[in-house]
Amino acid sequence: MTEQTYRERLRTLPVFPSDLPDLDPATTPDEPVPLFRTWLEDAVASGTPAPHAMTLSTAALSGHVSARTLLLKDIDDAGWHFATQRGSPKSQDLLGNPRAALTFFWPAVGRQVRLTGVVHDGGPEAGAADFRARPEASRAATLVGHQSEPLESLEQYRRAHAAVVDRLQIEPELLAPEWTDHFLVPEHVEFFQAAAPGNIRLRYRAGADGWTKELLWP
């Protein structure tokens, strides 16, 4: 028997379950936020782990592109919110080039949502409020600092983390001054539903008079 190549191996992996929800474009709302919230709740109900996890893609002025997974913090009239250190690579990318993309993927229901737009800084009060709402362990990890810098050893990090935990016992209201609330204002929001015979793609486009809906070829 011929040994299976890795390409062949990848082609045998399952993608989506056979029992998938439907997407009827005719019954979708006039703007994307209500549909996104419905899909997120459907992902929660399906048991998808970390359904609020998303991929943030940024590009520096140099043209270098990077992506990472983080958590959605809120959706409101301003946009889709996430938070990070101001000195982090993603924040540095956004300072030079505020255009970015967010991608949500919920394989249990065969769905993706893709957003593109401009990212804004929510200001120091929003950053402080988000930081206070984080669990103590997350606040401690953030206060250690030096995100994405070279690390000599895990022991070096553990010592720094223990020192921060001790400090939080004395100063429980300690804030990370560079913690930033960002929000993406979408120009395009695409909803993808796996289906047969062809996948369904519904895109919302922002304009001066509101949102426009259109179907895309699969």
Side-chain angles (χ1 to χ4, degrees):
M1 179 177 179
T2 305
E3 183 179 353
Q4 185 182 49
T5 68
Y6 204 68
R7 177 184 291 272
E8 291 168 340
R9 165 64 176 151
L10 292 176
R11 289 180 180 274
T12 65
L13 297 177
V15 182
F16 300 123
S18 58
D19 184 18
L20 292 172
D22 190 23
L23 172 60
D24 181 0
T27 63
T28 54
D30 293 333
E31 57 184 46
V33 170
L35 182 56
F36 178 88
R37 287 177 170 164
T38 296
W39 276 29
L40 180 58
E41 292 303 323
D42 289 346
V44 173
S46 75
T48 297
H52 55 327
M54 60 188 184
T55 299
L56 166 68
S57 302
T58 58
L61 283 177
S62 64
H64 176 75
V65 178
S66 59
R68 72 290 288 164
T69 301
L70 64 168
L71 297 180
L72 177 69
K73 292 300 187 75
D74 196 9
I75 311 171
D76 57 19
D77 292 339
W80 272 251
H81 290 254
F82 60 94
T84 184
Q85 293 272 33
R86 190 171 290 111
S88 68
K90 48 187 163 302
S91 285
Q92 294 304 303
D93 282 357
L94 293 169
L95 282 174
N97 175 14
R99 302 193 65 81
L102 299 175
T103 305
F104 295 83
F105 180 45
W106 302 306
V109 286
R111 287 173 171 173
Q112 296 181 58
V113 179
R114 300 169 57 228
L115 304 94
T116 58
V118 176
V119 175
H120 302 264
D121 185 334
E125 291 186 6
D130 182 86
F131 189 78
R132 290 191 183 97
R134 291 168 65 81
E136 182 177 321
S138 298
R139 284 186 283 124
T142 300
L143 286 164
V144 171
H146 305 288
Q147 187 180 32
S148 298
E149 296 178 12
L151 176 66
E152 291 181 5
S153 67
L154 291 178
E155 184 57 34
Q156 181 188 26
Y157 174 78
R158 288 166 181 152
R159 288 196 303 268
H161 184 270
V164 169
V165 170
D166 290 343
R167 187 179 176 189
L168 279 173
Q169 301 307 308
I170 302 170
E171 303 175 70
E173 297 301 314
L174 187 64
L175 295 175
E178 298 216 337
W179 191 251
T180 306
D181 170 79
H182 293 290
F183 59 91
L184 182 139
V185 180
E187 297 170 351
H188 298 90
V189 184
E190 180 188 325
F191 294 83
F192 169 99
Q193 174 66 67
N199 300 322
I200 302 169
R201 296 174 62 191
L202 175 67
R203 181 169 66 187
Y204 289 79
R205 290 189 293 115
D209 298 324
W211 292 95
T212 301
K213 291 192 296 182
E214 58 189 357
L215 285 170
L216 302 176
W217 283 82

